[in-house]
């Protein structure tokens, strides 16, 4: 993982993507409060472990926010989308307990939690909703079926029971 100012001399490694016997795969990032947040997953013993990290661009400032410690046996294709809303980041991740569901972080371990379990708890499935969009102060969650999510009351409303793919 590198940081660069666009020059050869201004390019340096922040941390290594290989940690002993495990490969670490960072995915898409989003800036919040002068930190870059990103998903990361690693494979240990054939299981996938997902986590959220943040960096201020320094080695010392690159820290784990939360690791979801229940490894799953198959790769769960989350979108790795991070969406900023009201000074928090929202994202889908497989926590190893509920499957792929919507979570949020304020940048602290205690402030990183599941928002709402929309699907049936299943570590290999969860919801098929995989995309987020903000609209009128609420989230539009879409994949198989579009939902509206109020992040304050944590209530969801099914917008339509027709299967949609939003491009």
């Amino acid at each position: 993982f590198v940081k660069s100012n666009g020059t050869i001399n201004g390019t340096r490694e922040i941390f290594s993507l290989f940690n002993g016997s495990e490969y670490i795969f960072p995915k898409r990032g989003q800036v919040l409060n002068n930190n870059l947040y990103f998903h990361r997953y690693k494979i240990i013993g054939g299981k996938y472990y997902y986590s959220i990290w943040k960096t201020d661009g320094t080695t010392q400032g690159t820290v784990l926010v939360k690791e979801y410690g229940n490894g799953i046996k198959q790769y769960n294709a989350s979108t790795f989308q991070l969406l900023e809303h009201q000074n928090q980041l929202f994202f889908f991740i497989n926590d190893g307990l509920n499957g792929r569901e919507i979570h949020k972080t304020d940048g602290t371990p205690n402030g990183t939690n599941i928002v709402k379990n929309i699907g049936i708890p299943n570590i290999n499935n969860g919801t098929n909703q995989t995309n987020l969009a903000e609209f009128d102060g609420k989230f539009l969650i879409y994949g198989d079926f579009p939902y509206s999510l109020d992040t304050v009351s944590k209530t969801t409303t099914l917008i339509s029971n027709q299967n949609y793919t939003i491009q």
Side-chain angles (χ1 to χ4, degrees):
F1 205 75
V2 297
K3 176 182 179 179
S4 178
N5 66 4
T7 68
I8 291 173
N9 291 335
T11 302
R12 63 181 176 80
E13 183 178 71
I14 296 173
F15 69 89
S16 176
L17 297 180
F18 183 72
N19 184 9
S21 63
E22 59 196 48
Y23 282 96
I24 299 164
F25 303 92
K27 296 288 183 177
R28 296 182 187 152
Q30 174 69 41
V31 175
L32 176 69
N33 297 327
N34 297 317
N35 286 291
L36 175 67
Y37 288 78
F38 57 96
H39 283 120
R40 190 171 104 163
Y41 73 91
K42 61 186 176 181
I43 305 167
I44 302 174
K47 290 187 176 184
Y48 293 83
Y49 295 83
Y50 296 91
S51 57
I52 297 291
W53 286 71
K54 68 179 178 180
T55 184
D56 64 3
T58 67
T59 302
Q60 299 80 12
T62 302
V63 295
L64 173 69
V65 175
K66 184 168 186 172
E67 180 170 63
Y68 296 90
N70 299 308
I72 60 172
K73 293 181 181 179
Q74 66 187 35
Y75 178 75
N76 193 288
S78 297
T79 61
F80 299 107
Q81 176 187 11
L82 295 160
L83 182 66
E84 190 272 330
H85 176 71
Q86 296 179 346
N87 211 32
Q88 297 181 53
L89 292 177
F90 290 78
F91 54 93
F92 283 96
I93 200 164
N94 188 332
D95 62 8
L97 299 172
N98 299 294
R100 186 181 59 247
E101 294 292 346
I102 188 170
H103 292 248
K104 68 178 178 179
T105 186
D106 63 3
T108 66
N110 288 339
T112 305
N113 301 297
I114 190 169
V115 174
K116 172 101 180 196
N117 190 339
I118 298 171
I120 298 169
N122 179 324
I123 64 168
N124 289 319
N125 291 321
T127 183
N128 285 325
Q129 315 308 62
T130 56
N131 295 290
L132 295 169
E134 187 178 2
F135 178 74
D136 197 25
K138 296 182 181 177
F139 281 135
L140 175 64
I141 301 171
Y142 53 98
D144 285 348
F145 302 101
Y147 285 86
S148 169
L149 170 66
D150 183 315
T151 59
V152 176
S153 67
K154 297 183 182 179
T155 56
T156 54
T157 304
L158 179 64
I159 296 171
S160 172
N161 61 0
Q162 293 185 345
N163 191 320
Y164 287 100
T165 302
I166 299 176
Q167 304 286 332

